Structure formats: structure tokens, C-alpha cells
Amino acid sequence: MFMVLFQTTISLLWRISGNRMAAQLKSRLRARSGSVPEIQIHEPRNHMEDVPHHPLDPLTMQEIYRVRTILSTHPPFSPSFPAIHSLSLDEPRKDLVLSWKEGDPLPPRKALVIALLNGQSHVLSVDLDLGLVTSNKINRGSGYPMLTMNDISVALEVALSYKELNRSAVKRGLSPSDVTCVTPSAGWFGPSEEGRRVIKVQCFSNQGTPNFYMRPLEGLTMTVDIDKKVVVKFTDTGGEIPVPKATGTDYRFKNQKEPLKIKAINPISIEQPLGPSFTVEDGHVVKWANWEFHLKADQRAGMVISRAMLSDSETGVPRSVMYKGFSSELFVPYMDPDENWYFKSYMDAGEFGMGATAMSLVPLNDCPRNSYYMDGIFASWDGTPFVQPNMICVFERYAGDISWRHSEIPVNGFDIREARPKVTLVARMAASVGNYDYIFDWEFQTDGLIHVTVALSGMLMVKGTPHQTVDQMPSQEAASGPLVSENAIGVLHDHFITFHLDMDIDDTNNTFVKVDLVKERTLPGQSPRKSYLKAKRNVAKTEDDARIQLKLYEPSEFQVINPSRRSRLGNPAGYKIVPGGNAASLLDHLDPPQLRSAFTNNQVFISRQFISPFSMVYALTIARVHLFQVFSL
């Protein structure tokens, strides 16, 4: 068993005109086509009749209602119902899931609940079959559970009713209705913050644009105690910094005034006359070509792939590849020590939830024709279920790429031109976490390769400045980022996207192997060559062996093998985990944001867990990861 964390560090800065360009391109494309493309309408489903069919199926609406009823009669909660911060399936033990076959009774259905009452975090296990709370542990350590929408609403309500905020808005020539506020993470900065739930609130001008992120009320920050519903600190040090103008910030294509001076793109569409080649059984089991896997939405992780199996090309027998894969955390530290910026060190999954922030996908734009759409069923802060519609889509992708090819020059009598098109299956979701949109793709290929890709879109979070041009800046080196628009600095920051992969190659008996590529020198007179490369295999025996920091001039390959499953040549079955370009966090290890995100100190980390030999954790500063087979013979 292996768990993998992938992290994406993207130092993002683009000009605001990019939003306008994308919008006008889309507008011109539609104008040139002479008609608006056909829009696929996906009618909402009635999930009240849903029942689980698989041990890993998420809780249904009826099950969530039942959990709420059970909690309401639990003695600690009978006088006052707690705030529900997380309510999801408490998954059965792995051995029970692996031994389960279609048609077997499901293992007992349980719920894992994180609830908050009177400042105490409760971690509960609820047995739905018994109708009882079987475990209730109070968290005595640091930290609090994921924020709820009610928490955010309370913080904004407290902030917007604060008189000092209105005075600051008026000083900037704004009315209260022109002000939009958001709740950036307060981070964690030592024991002085222990014992209370606080969140920061910062505000922007929405006057003349929906892209209020480009119009910050710089220097204005409120700290709100969510439980006491009071502002505990108010600062406004930016009264002399102008609010950036709204001109050119509206990204909606319908509001673009002038066309771009570029040639329009003709319409393009991929057709499937016979329909898609994949099926989704019982709402969660995806079958396509030689792949089968379980897919579900999760309020924290967003999208979870489980029980991924690949059919053997010779026998047709499904072979296990991965027990579970999902995005476990997104760490986003901004690089500005200013009083109004130092705390911006987001944990997007743990604080806000990737599933909770996943909006409905847009047919034909987010997902192509013939896509299958999956809803998320989650619990709100009061324990009642709600539907996150069209949160995940599944589709087949063909982009003109080549899956495999080979040609022979006919000098030897072979006139061969062999090429095969590349068609893949993609599971996609998009989370809109404040100003940024993360697009997650899990792409499956018929050759057994899995691509995990994260794309980033949305808006910049900018810092207001008195300067309108770079010539007005005393020192560009001293600024926290480049000037991206008049009176707006794009603050340098990173995005570390962490993935958890629990690899099961042919079963749970897996081993992690680090293959070092080392330079060997030839002996005098041995060869005209002076040097060559050798591959040296190192099997991880301890956790320390598998704490790896990637190095450009000390390259390595990372393999997950099953030593007990051999090919006809004697090679062990295995997969190779291939990171793309990488980077490491440069923050001091004792810096509070880095203390919270210590998992980024190593790009590969493996720990023993439960009955399986290893649990592998990757921390890769990239947006693309590849998993593909090794030793296929």
C-alpha cells in the first residue's frame, strides 16, 4: 500500500489583460460561428431514493438524515445540537473492501463526523445499522476543523456591521453597498492564538466590476472571533493607497466592448456517433476499455478514485493498481511579511474543502459533449444534506495526439507506417477556492498509464500600491511582486498541491524502490567512452530510506513493485511514479506556515501504516504526475 502526495508550486503572475483576451476570444469564436453552440441540459436528480451499492459509496441523503437523528439523541448533544464540520463515510477496513464481491452484503455502514460544540472538537463514529454513536473522542490538540459556510457567513456579517469598516469605506469614496469582503485564512502563528477560532476579513470594491479581487481596500484587515461573533482587531494602514480602477477588469465575455486585434478561431467539436465507450454503473463504478475504478465526490478532498484495476491484456483478468488516490492538501503561502499579508498561507483543502468549493461544471466548456456528470452529496453545518450538482464529469478525450507509432525507412525492404491514435478517459472536477480555480484531471490510458494533472485559473489576489508605473517604484527588487496593473502588485506566492496515493500493485504486498542513476567511469583502454550511466536499485527498509528530496544532478526513479508477482521473465510487477518539474519550499523550517506544512520538506515520504508494508507520500512541486507500468513482460 502506498500513499502519494503531489504538490504544485506555481509562481503565478499574469497581466489583467489576459482575462479580457480570453473573454473576447470566446466572444469572437461564437460570433464567427453564426450561432451559439448547443448547450447540454442536465436535469437535477432526486437523490432521496439513492441506496449504496459498493462499500466505498458515499453516504446517501437518507443516511445523512439518519446520522443527524442519531446525533441529536446522543447525550452530549441532546441539549444543543453541535455544528457539523465534516460528515462522511467512515470507510470499512481495507481487508473487508478487498474481499467484498459484487452481490455480497455490504459491510456495516458507518459515518465519520467532526462536530464542534462549546469550543470542543468531537470526532465521532456513528454506526448506521445499530443506530448508535460508537465512538466520541474530543480533540485535545491544536487546531480546529474545516470552516463551514455558516462560519464564513458569520464572520462576514460581523465584519460588514462593524462601524469602523463603513468609515474606512467612506474615506475611500465608497458606499457600504460597494464593498465586498472575503475571509482569507488566519493561518497559525503561535500559542497566542490557541483556544479561539479566529479568521481574517479583508474587503474590496465591487464598484463597476464583478472582479473585485483587482480592487483591494489595501491595508484594511479585521480579525473576527467566529464563536464570540466579535471583531477582536481592526487595522487600516492603507488610507493613502488608492483603490485600483475597475477599467478592463470585467472578465465576462458578454461585457467586452472592443474586439481583440487577432484572427478568430473557427468552431471545433469532437463527435462520437456511437456514443461514449465508458459506462458508470450504480452511480460510481466507472468502466472503460481495460480500466475499472470507483469514483466519488468528497467534501474535503473533492474527487476520490478508489479500487483502480487494469485488465491484463493477455488473460483479461483485472489486476489491482491503486486502492485510493485523492488530493489531500493545497498549501498556498504568499511571500509578503506586511501586517496585512503575512498570515496568507492557505490550506485550501483543510480549511475550506475542495468539494465544498467545487461549483457546477459548465457543459461544453468545462466538459465536452457526451460527458457523464456526477453530483456530490454533502452535509451542511446543521447536519442536513445538500446536493453539489454536476461537480464531477467523466469523458473521453481525443486531442489529435499519438498513442504509439513506428515507421521503417524502406531501404531494408520494410515499408511500414504504423500509428495509433491516443484516446483517454478523464475524470475532472474544478474547485473555486476564492480567487483561484483549480482544475483536477485524472486521465487513464489504455497502456496502463495514469496522468494526474492540476491546472490553475481564476483571478490574482493583488496588493494595492500608490504606484501606477514601474518608473514610480523606488525599488522593484524591494516590492513583493511585479506591478501587474495600475496601483496593483501581484504578490509572489506558491501553490503546493499534495496528493495521497495508496498503491496496491497486484495486492497489498508492495515495496518501494529508489533507482539511482549514477555515473560510472570506464577503465583506461576499456572503451572510447569516458563514462556511462548505471541504475542502482535501493529497496526502502525504513521510513528514513524513503524521505527523499529530489535533486537535478542526482537523478532517481521511483518504483512501486510487488516482489511476489513475477512476469515470465522474472521481473516483478510494478509501476513507476514519475514527477514532472519540481521545486521545494524555500521557507525557513521554523516559519509558522512551514511548520504547518512540514510535509513539503521532502518531495517523497513513505511511512508504514496498518497491515500494508508502506504508505507512500509524495510532495512534488509540479502540476503533473505520471503513473505507468514497468516490467510488463
Side-chain angles (χ1 to χ4, degrees), residues 296-491:
K296 68 178 177 183
D298 182 86
Q299 197 160 0
R300 186 187 191 280
M303 180 168 59
V304 178
I305 307 285
S306 301
R307 299 290 286 124
M309 293 182 288
L310 183 71
S311 294
D312 190 293
S313 60
E314 295 180 353
T315 65
V317 176
R319 299 173 64 178
S320 172
V321 173
M322 182 178 71
Y323 182 74
K324 185 188 293 185
F326 60 90
S327 171
S328 57
E329 192 51 87
L330 292 89
F331 172 48
V332 187
Y334 280 75
M335 306 303 170
D336 194 326
D338 181 85
E339 180 182 8
N340 299 286
W341 281 81
Y342 76 88
F343 53 83
K344 293 184 180 179
S345 52
Y346 301 88
M347 294 285 198
D348 283 338
E351 291 173 334
F352 301 102
M354 303 310 292
T357 56
M359 300 295 101
S360 296
L361 295 164
V362 180
L364 298 182
N365 291 338
D366 283 329
C367 310
R369 190 175 280 107
N370 293 313
S371 294
Y372 175 91
Y373 291 85
M374 183 179 295
D375 299 338
I377 309 298
F378 303 141
S380 61
W381 68 275
D382 63 356
T384 58
F386 69 93
V387 178
Q388 205 83 310
N390 292 356
M391 177 183 149
I392 296 172
C393 70
V394 182
F395 60 91
E396 286 171 295
R397 171 186 283 160
Y398 173 65
D401 294 328
I402 299 170
S403 175
W404 183 90
R405 80 173 315 281
H406 181 66
S407 297
E408 285 287 348
I409 299 174
V411 294
N412 292 320
F414 296 99
D415 189 5
I416 297 175
R417 304 289 184 273
E418 186 75 14
R420 298 166 195 171
K422 181 178 180 179
V423 179
T424 61
L425 185 75
V426 178
R428 169 176 294 169
M429 66 153 281
S432 300
V433 190
N435 56 306
Y436 277 122
D437 291 54
Y438 297 94
I439 301 101
F440 291 83
D441 280 2
W442 286 75
E443 185 175 16
F444 297 82
Q445 296 186 186
T446 54
D447 58 5
L449 190 148
I450 305 173
H451 289 282
V452 185
T453 305
V454 184
L456 197 54
S457 186
M459 309 298 156
L460 283 177
M461 179 77 76
V462 300
K463 180 179 183 178
T465 175
H467 310 299
Q468 293 194 340
T469 67
V470 294
D471 295 333
Q472 296 175 356
M473 302 175 71
S475 170
Q476 294 187 54
E477 295 294 329
S480 56
L483 196 70
V484 295
S485 187
E486 291 82 359
N487 304 117
I489 289 175
V491 177

Side-chain angles (χ1 to χ4, degrees), residues 56-72:
L56 298 177
D57 279 357
L59 295 176
T60 65
M61 294 188 79
Q62 290 189 22
E63 288 178 321
I64 292 174
Y65 276 121
R66 179 158 170 73
V67 171
R68 191 186 192 284
T69 300
I70 295 169
L71 290 176
S72 66

Side-chain angles (χ1 to χ4, degrees), residues 50-112:
D50 288 354
V51 294
H53 297 276
H54 188 282
L56 298 177
D57 279 357
L59 295 176
T60 65
M61 294 188 79
Q62 290 189 22
E63 288 178 321
I64 292 174
Y65 276 121
R66 179 158 170 73
V67 171
R68 191 186 192 284
T69 300
I70 295 169
L71 290 176
S72 66
T73 59
H74 186 51
F77 303 150
S78 54
S80 178
F81 194 77
I84 303 300
H85 289 253
S86 176
L87 197 165
S88 60
L89 177 72
D90 189 356
E91 295 185 357
R93 291 199 327 265
K94 186 174 179 178
D95 60 322
L96 295 178
V97 176
L98 294 178
S99 63
W100 181 85
K101 299 292 186 292
E102 186 175 356
D104 292 349
L106 292 178
R109 297 282 286 178
K110 298 179 181 179
L112 177 64

Side-chain angles (χ1 to χ4, degrees), residues 286-302:
V286 181
K287 295 182 179 181
W288 174 78
N290 48 350
W291 279 104
E292 177 179 334
F293 57 89
H294 186 274
L295 175 65
K296 68 178 177 183
D298 182 86
Q299 197 160 0
R300 186 187 191 280

Side-chain angles (χ1 to χ4, degrees), residues 192-257:
S192 63
E193 297 181 358
E194 296 290 349
R196 61 180 181 178
R197 291 199 303 148
V198 295
I199 193 169
K200 303 291 186 181
V201 176
Q202 293 186 321
C203 301
F204 306 79
S205 170
N206 59 42
Q207 196 177 54
T209 180
N211 187 6
F212 55 85
Y213 294 107
M214 285 301 298
R215 308 199 67 203
L217 277 58
E218 190 57 48
L220 194 157
T221 302
M222 288 168 281
T223 305
V224 175
D225 187 311
I226 301 173
D227 295 323
K228 294 183 178 179
K229 300 182 180 179
V230 295
V231 175
V232 296
K233 185 178 180 181
F234 177 89
T235 59
D236 186 1
T237 59
E240 303 303 317
I241 300 176
V243 177
K245 295 180 180 179
T247 306
T249 61
D250 193 339
Y251 49 83
R252 296 172 297 181
F253 72 86
K254 66 180 181 180
N255 289 347
Q256 306 309 307
K257 307 297 184 190

